[in-house]
Amino acid sequence: EVHLDVRGDARRPFEFTATVLFQAREADTLWGTSRRLVAVAHLNQATGTPGLGRSELSLEAQDTHTPWSDAERVRLALFWSQSPTNPVPVAIDGRLEFDGVYTAWGETPQLQFTVTGQPTRDNPALLETEWRLTSGSLLTVRGSSATNELIAHLVHDDLHPVPRRGDWKLHVREPSISWGSARELHLAGTFAPQADGTPRQATPDWGWWSALEPVRLTWDADLDDLQLTNAVFDNVQCSGTWDAPHLTVDRLHGVLDGRPVHLRGQVNVATRRVEADGELGLDVKRLGSLLTARTRDWLEDYGWVTPPAVQSRLWLTLPAWTNAHPDWRADVQPTLGLDGSLEGTNGPYHFK
């Protein structure tokens, strides 16, 4: 069932208004199926300000099934004010809610997505938006979490699909995967497009990294009460950057039993070369489940009261990004190099 009501004066086409009502007991589309689908749109309604119209769109559906996910209930409410001659809205306010979400990768009882936006103060041709994604408990094939919230602030124009700049924050309570868990995860970062005129470097060998070439990224991560098997770090901090073709970890710092871990590293996506160095003072036996059986057996031949201090440098070349099933022993092991020193309470020991 569809109802359409269009009103206006042909002498003033920008003042035309429209109301659309769509109802379907059962809906079957290219994107999926649903029951009790109701959509209502009020377009370009008068606001009292000449040349400015207000529009709204609402939608509700039950038992929605798509190729990507299923949801017990979907609700959408979107409002925006806009001049017909300006592609940048004066204001945006929207909310999209899902109840009972199930996908091939995981499930959550509730997922909520909101967006607000308005022109920037210094340039009305630019739109500044805040995007917020929240969910309740999340259960996936690889892990779980109690609550999740992602907030992003973006600045757009109408000429480029990539936002001019932005920042984001992710907060996860009680994240857990097969080899570890934490009380809280805080992750924040910024991004911006590469400078105009930057030459393209990506080749087909970059694989999925090619999609990230146009942007520059920074991030900072903070994990509280990180538990890896029977080892608990009070706090782990990490920061890094992406500036094609380099993915850099500037700092990875943690403390276990009062002994520090400091690591740094970089991946050159173009050459697939990894270089890392750091200082470790922790008891590596506490991380046994993360090690291979052969390494665990080798460590059993050694013991200490105070763990040795290790300084090391590592380098290797990763398999091709386009190789979905690499042979790590054949492809990576011949490129692996290690250099460093070990110092215990009874004197220094060196390896190379």
Side-chain angles (χ1 to χ4, degrees), residues 284 288 290-302:
V284 293
L290 303 180
L291 306 174
T292 64
R294 185 175 180 180
T295 302
R296 290 195 298 268
D297 291 342
W298 179 77
L299 286 173
E300 286 301 319
D301 294 333
Y302 302 89

Side-chain angles (χ1 to χ4, degrees), residues 53 74 78 127 211 230 241 261 270 283 285 322 327 329 336:
V74 179
L78 179 62
L127 182 67
N230 62 336
T241 61
V261 177
D283 186 348
K285 292 184 178 182
T322 54
D327 185 337
R329 181 178 297 274
L336 175 64

Side-chain angles (χ1 to χ4, degrees), residues 123-167:
N123 187 348
L126 300 178
L127 182 67
E128 185 175 20
T129 58
E130 178 185 275
W131 307 74
R132 187 183 297 260
L133 179 64
T134 59
S135 78
S137 59
L138 181 63
L139 179 64
T140 74
V141 294
R142 296 188 179 275
S144 63
S145 60
T147 62
N148 310 270
E149 182 179 55
L150 174 65
I151 303 174
H153 298 95
L154 310 178
V155 175
H156 325 249
D157 62 28
D158 62 320
L159 301 176
H160 202 285
V162 178
R164 286 194 168 207
R165 60 183 181 274
D167 61 77

Side-chain angles (χ1 to χ4, degrees), residues 29-165:
T29 72
L30 294 175
W31 304 281
T33 63
S34 65
R35 293 192 309 110
R36 298 180 182 177
L37 174 63
V38 179
V40 180
H42 301 284
L43 305 177
N44 202 34
Q45 304 297 307
T47 62
T49 300
L52 183 66
R54 176 177 170 83
S55 301
E56 60 182 86
L57 171 66
S58 62
L59 179 147
E60 184 168 339
Q62 296 182 7
D63 297 334
T64 299
H65 303 278
T66 73
W68 313 281
S69 66
D70 298 336
E72 297 173 1
R73 188 179 183 185
V74 179
R75 296 181 297 274
L76 169 68
L78 179 62
F79 306 88
W80 70 97
S81 298
Q82 186 174 12
S83 168
T85 60
N86 187 352
V88 178
V90 173
I92 296 176
D93 189 352
R95 179 185 299 268
L96 178 61
E97 297 177 336
F98 300 87
D99 294 335
V101 180
Y102 302 89
T103 74
W105 310 281
E107 61 184 72
T108 182
Q110 188 175 50
L111 185 66
Q112 185 180 92
F113 182 74
T114 63
V115 58
T116 59
Q118 61 281 318
T120 60
R121 294 181 180 180
D122 55 342
N123 187 348
L126 300 178
L127 182 67
E128 185 175 20
T129 58
E130 178 185 275
W131 307 74
R132 187 183 297 260
L133 179 64
T134 59
S135 78
S137 59
L138 181 63
L139 179 64
T140 74
V141 294
R142 296 188 179 275
S144 63
S145 60
T147 62
N148 310 270
E149 182 179 55
L150 174 65
I151 303 174
H153 298 95
L154 310 178
V155 175
H156 325 249
D157 62 28
D158 62 320
L159 301 176
H160 202 285
V162 178
R164 286 194 168 207
R165 60 183 181 274

Side-chain angles (χ1 to χ4, degrees), residues 72-321:
E72 297 173 1
R73 188 179 183 185
V74 179
R75 296 181 297 274
L76 169 68
L78 179 62
F79 306 88
W80 70 97
S81 298
Q82 186 174 12
S83 168
T85 60
N86 187 352
V88 178
V90 173
I92 296 176
D93 189 352
R95 179 185 299 268
L96 178 61
E97 297 177 336
F98 300 87
D99 294 335
V101 180
Y102 302 89
T103 74
W105 310 281
E107 61 184 72
T108 182
Q110 188 175 50
L111 185 66
Q112 185 180 92
F113 182 74
T114 63
V115 58
T116 59
Q118 61 281 318
T120 60
R121 294 181 180 180
D122 55 342
N123 187 348
L126 300 178
L127 182 67
E128 185 175 20
T129 58
E130 178 185 275
W131 307 74
R132 187 183 297 260
L133 179 64
T134 59
S135 78
S137 59
L138 181 63
L139 179 64
T140 74
V141 294
R142 296 188 179 275
S144 63
S145 60
T147 62
N148 310 270
E149 182 179 55
L150 174 65
I151 303 174
H153 298 95
L154 310 178
V155 175
H156 325 249
D157 62 28
D158 62 320
L159 301 176
H160 202 285
V162 178
R164 286 194 168 207
R165 60 183 181 274
D167 61 77
W168 50 273
K169 296 179 181 179
L170 174 66
H171 178 209
V172 180
R173 287 183 51 248
E174 300 177 14
S176 176
I177 56 177
S178 59
W179 49 267
S181 62
R183 181 170 58 85
E184 286 190 306
L185 165 66
H186 294 270
L187 187 61
T190 66
F191 70 90
Q194 293 283 359
D196 292 340
T198 301
R200 294 296 302 266
Q201 305 178 65
T203 68
D205 293 339
W206 284 33
W208 61 271
W209 289 99
S210 299
L212 293 178
E213 187 192 16
V215 298
R216 292 177 289 113
L217 306 172
T218 69
W219 74 85
D220 291 278
D222 199 313
L223 280 159
D224 292 330
D225 296 337
L226 174 63
Q227 182 170 351
L228 303 176
T229 64
N230 62 336
V232 179
F233 294 81
D234 293 336
N235 181 259
V236 174
Q237 300 173 349
C238 178
S239 62
T241 61
W242 160 255
D243 192 357
H246 297 109
L247 176 68
T248 303
V249 176
D250 301 309
R251 178 177 62 100
L252 176 59
H253 171 75
V255 177
L256 174 65
D257 297 334
R259 300 182 66 83
V261 177
H262 300 286
L263 299 174
R264 298 160 296 276
Q266 185 178 84
V267 179
N268 185 322
V269 170
T271 63
R272 308 191 312 280
R273 182 175 174 84
V274 177
E275 296 183 357
D277 64 84
E279 302 83 39
L280 297 85
L282 56 80
D283 186 348
V284 293
K285 292 184 178 182
R286 298 279 297 275
L287 305 177
S289 67
L290 303 180
L291 306 174
T292 64
R294 185 175 180 180
T295 302
R296 290 195 298 268
D297 291 342
W298 179 77
L299 286 173
E300 286 301 319
D301 294 333
Y302 302 89
W304 45 71
V305 176
T306 300
V310 178
Q311 292 186 333
S312 63
R313 185 171 67 91
L314 175 147
W315 61 93
L316 56 86
T317 301
L318 293 170
W321 306 115

